[in-house]
Amino acid sequence: MAFDHYVAICKPLHYLIIMNRQVCSLLVWVAWIMDFFHSVIQIHFLFQLPFCGLNVIDHFLCDMYPLLELTHTDTCVVGLLLAAKRGLICTICFPILVISYMVILNSLKSYSLEGRCKALSTFGSHVMVVMLFFVPCIFTYMRPVSTFPVDKGVAVFYVFITPMLNTLIYTMRNVEVTKAMRKL
């Protein structure tokens, strides 16, 4: 999305040429492959652990840290590996997004006031959604294995609220939807 916004704001006349079907497919495939390997590593760690006894976790979703509490072994090493892997993902993706936002903001200097306002309205909503996703993720995953009561509430943000807000924001930015809402 950051690359898409960069092209849309910084190179609007070349958008259709740059963001063609092949580039979009490549971006989707890279995301899917990275997510696949992320999941395979987590599943590999889980299959190495002995689970016995209770199989109920006190969480809204089946996350790794609550699952590690169901094991009756020392999960310190697995927890550190998972925190390092997830922390690495957060510390790579988040700075890349921040750098891309700084490049976009820097490029807006040459725009007219109306163009800057239009770009910043789109840009601002995207930054808000990214922050609402990454801040709870960083809070949850960039620490050693432990679950706190607040983790369930934080998980609601990055699992439910952020995707819902993203859809709502981009739907409300659609001209036809805005006209239809005004008619109602």
PDB file of all heavy atoms in Angstrom, residues 119-132:
ATOM      1  N   ALA A 119      -3.974  15.183  -1.382  1.00  0.00           N
ATOM      2  CA  ALA A 119      -3.015  14.106  -1.110  1.00  0.00           C
ATOM      3  C   ALA A 119      -2.912  13.836   0.383  1.00  0.00           C
ATOM      4  O   ALA A 119      -2.853  12.686   0.814  1.00  0.00           O
ATOM      5  CB  ALA A 119      -1.652  14.470  -1.689  1.00  0.00           C
ATOM      6  N   LEU A 120      -2.904  14.888   1.193  1.00  0.00           N
ATOM      7  CA  LEU A 120      -2.788  14.704   2.635  1.00  0.00           C
ATOM      8  C   LEU A 120      -4.026  14.070   3.243  1.00  0.00           C
ATOM      9  O   LEU A 120      -3.931  13.365   4.243  1.00  0.00           O
ATOM     10  CB  LEU A 120      -2.472  16.031   3.320  1.00  0.00           C
ATOM     11  CG  LEU A 120      -1.031  16.508   3.177  1.00  0.00           C
ATOM     12  CD1 LEU A 120      -0.872  17.894   3.774  1.00  0.00           C
ATOM     13  CD2 LEU A 120      -0.062  15.539   3.810  1.00  0.00           C
ATOM     14  N   SER A 121      -5.194  14.295   2.670  1.00  0.00           N
ATOM     15  CA  SER A 121      -6.393  13.650   3.216  1.00  0.00           C
ATOM     16  C   SER A 121      -6.335  12.144   2.989  1.00  0.00           C
ATOM     17  O   SER A 121      -6.669  11.360   3.875  1.00  0.00           O
ATOM     18  CB  SER A 121      -7.658  14.246   2.611  1.00  0.00           C
ATOM     19  OG  SER A 121      -7.787  13.903   1.255  1.00  0.00           O
ATOM     20  N   THR A 122      -5.901  11.729   1.819  1.00  0.00           N
ATOM     21  CA  THR A 122      -5.735  10.301   1.548  1.00  0.00           C
ATOM     22  C   THR A 122      -4.600   9.743   2.386  1.00  0.00           C
ATOM     23  O   THR A 122      -4.720   8.680   3.007  1.00  0.00           O
ATOM     24  CB  THR A 122      -5.423  10.071   0.054  1.00  0.00           C
ATOM     25  OG1 THR A 122      -6.478  10.605  -0.719  1.00  0.00           O
ATOM     26  CG2 THR A 122      -5.251   8.609  -0.262  1.00  0.00           C
ATOM     27  N   PHE A 123      -3.517  10.466   2.421  1.00  0.00           N
ATOM     28  CA  PHE A 123      -2.327  10.049   3.129  1.00  0.00           C
ATOM     29  C   PHE A 123      -2.584   9.966   4.634  1.00  0.00           C
ATOM     30  O   PHE A 123      -2.162   9.023   5.297  1.00  0.00           O
ATOM     31  CB  PHE A 123      -1.221  11.058   2.806  1.00  0.00           C
ATOM     32  CG  PHE A 123       0.079  10.793   3.461  1.00  0.00           C
ATOM     33  CD1 PHE A 123       0.856   9.720   3.066  1.00  0.00           C
ATOM     34  CD2 PHE A 123       0.549  11.618   4.461  1.00  0.00           C
ATOM     35  CE1 PHE A 123       2.073   9.478   3.660  1.00  0.00           C
ATOM     36  CE2 PHE A 123       1.763  11.384   5.052  1.00  0.00           C
ATOM     37  CZ  PHE A 123       2.525  10.310   4.651  1.00  0.00           C
ATOM     38  N   GLY A 124      -3.300  10.942   5.176  1.00  0.00           N
ATOM     39  CA  GLY A 124      -3.575  10.972   6.611  1.00  0.00           C
ATOM     40  C   GLY A 124      -4.399   9.789   7.077  1.00  0.00           C
ATOM     41  O   GLY A 124      -4.123   9.205   8.133  1.00  0.00           O
ATOM     42  N   SER A 125      -5.398   9.405   6.301  1.00  0.00           N
ATOM     43  CA  SER A 125      -6.219   8.259   6.696  1.00  0.00           C
ATOM     44  C   SER A 125      -5.399   6.974   6.649  1.00  0.00           C
ATOM     45  O   SER A 125      -5.548   6.098   7.507  1.00  0.00           O
ATOM     46  CB  SER A 125      -7.448   8.156   5.807  1.00  0.00           C
ATOM     47  OG  SER A 125      -7.084   7.978   4.458  1.00  0.00           O
ATOM     48  N   HIS A 126      -4.523   6.861   5.676  1.00  0.00           N
ATOM     49  CA  HIS A 126      -3.682   5.664   5.592  1.00  0.00           C
ATOM     50  C   HIS A 126      -2.702   5.607   6.764  1.00  0.00           C
ATOM     51  O   HIS A 126      -2.504   4.548   7.361  1.00  0.00           O
ATOM     52  CB  HIS A 126      -2.931   5.638   4.265  1.00  0.00           C
ATOM     53  CG  HIS A 126      -2.076   4.438   4.097  1.00  0.00           C
ATOM     54  ND1 HIS A 126      -2.597   3.171   3.930  1.00  0.00           N
ATOM     55  CD2 HIS A 126      -0.735   4.295   4.085  1.00  0.00           C
ATOM     56  CE1 HIS A 126      -1.614   2.306   3.827  1.00  0.00           C
ATOM     57  NE2 HIS A 126      -0.472   2.967   3.916  1.00  0.00           N
ATOM     58  N   VAL A 127      -2.097   6.731   7.114  1.00  0.00           N
ATOM     59  CA  VAL A 127      -1.157   6.760   8.243  1.00  0.00           C
ATOM     60  C   VAL A 127      -1.880   6.382   9.535  1.00  0.00           C
ATOM     61  O   VAL A 127      -1.340   5.636  10.356  1.00  0.00           O
ATOM     62  CB  VAL A 127      -0.499   8.158   8.360  1.00  0.00           C
ATOM     63  CG1 VAL A 127       0.250   8.313   9.665  1.00  0.00           C
ATOM     64  CG2 VAL A 127       0.430   8.402   7.194  1.00  0.00           C
ATOM     65  N   MET A 128      -3.100   6.859   9.712  1.00  0.00           N
ATOM     66  CA  MET A 128      -3.868   6.530  10.906  1.00  0.00           C
ATOM     67  C   MET A 128      -4.107   5.023  11.004  1.00  0.00           C
ATOM     68  O   MET A 128      -3.907   4.418  12.062  1.00  0.00           O
ATOM     69  CB  MET A 128      -5.211   7.260  10.908  1.00  0.00           C
ATOM     70  CG  MET A 128      -6.027   7.004  12.157  1.00  0.00           C
ATOM     71  SD  MET A 128      -7.645   7.757  12.124  1.00  0.00           S
ATOM     72  CE  MET A 128      -8.492   6.739  10.943  1.00  0.00           C
ATOM     73  N   VAL A 129      -4.505   4.398   9.905  1.00  0.00           N
ATOM     74  CA  VAL A 129      -4.763   2.960   9.918  1.00  0.00           C
ATOM     75  C   VAL A 129      -3.466   2.185  10.171  1.00  0.00           C
ATOM     76  O   VAL A 129      -3.456   1.215  10.945  1.00  0.00           O
ATOM     77  CB  VAL A 129      -5.438   2.517   8.596  1.00  0.00           C
ATOM     78  CG1 VAL A 129      -5.503   1.016   8.498  1.00  0.00           C
ATOM     79  CG2 VAL A 129      -6.831   3.110   8.502  1.00  0.00           C
ATOM     80  N   VAL A 130      -2.374   2.611   9.556  1.00  0.00           N
ATOM     81  CA  VAL A 130      -1.092   1.926   9.766  1.00  0.00           C
ATOM     82  C   VAL A 130      -0.661   2.043  11.226  1.00  0.00           C
ATOM     83  O   VAL A 130      -0.194   1.067  11.829  1.00  0.00           O
ATOM     84  CB  VAL A 130      -0.021   2.487   8.808  1.00  0.00           C
ATOM     85  CG1 VAL A 130       1.367   2.063   9.216  1.00  0.00           C
ATOM     86  CG2 VAL A 130      -0.305   2.031   7.388  1.00  0.00           C
ATOM     87  N   MET A 131      -0.809   3.213  11.812  1.00  0.00           N
ATOM     88  CA  MET A 131      -0.446   3.387  13.221  1.00  0.00           C
ATOM     89  C   MET A 131      -1.328   2.533  14.133  1.00  0.00           C
ATOM     90  O   MET A 131      -0.833   1.927  15.081  1.00  0.00           O
ATOM     91  CB  MET A 131      -0.563   4.854  13.628  1.00  0.00           C
ATOM     92  CG  MET A 131       0.492   5.714  13.036  1.00  0.00           C
ATOM     93  SD  MET A 131       2.112   5.158  13.541  1.00  0.00           S
ATOM     94  CE  MET A 131       3.004   6.650  13.474  1.00  0.00           C
ATOM     95  N   LEU A 132      -2.630   2.496  13.834  1.00  0.00           N
ATOM     96  CA  LEU A 132      -3.528   1.677  14.647  1.00  0.00           C
ATOM     97  C   LEU A 132      -3.222   0.189  14.517  1.00  0.00           C
ATOM     98  O   LEU A 132      -3.594  -0.602  15.383  1.00  0.00           O
ATOM     99  CB  LEU A 132      -4.988   1.937  14.270  1.00  0.00           C
ATOM    100  CG  LEU A 132      -5.580   3.232  14.781  1.00  0.00           C
ATOM    101  CD1 LEU A 132      -6.976   3.435  14.215  1.00  0.00           C
ATOM    102  CD2 LEU A 132      -5.608   3.249  16.296  1.00  0.00           C
TER     103      LEU A 132
END
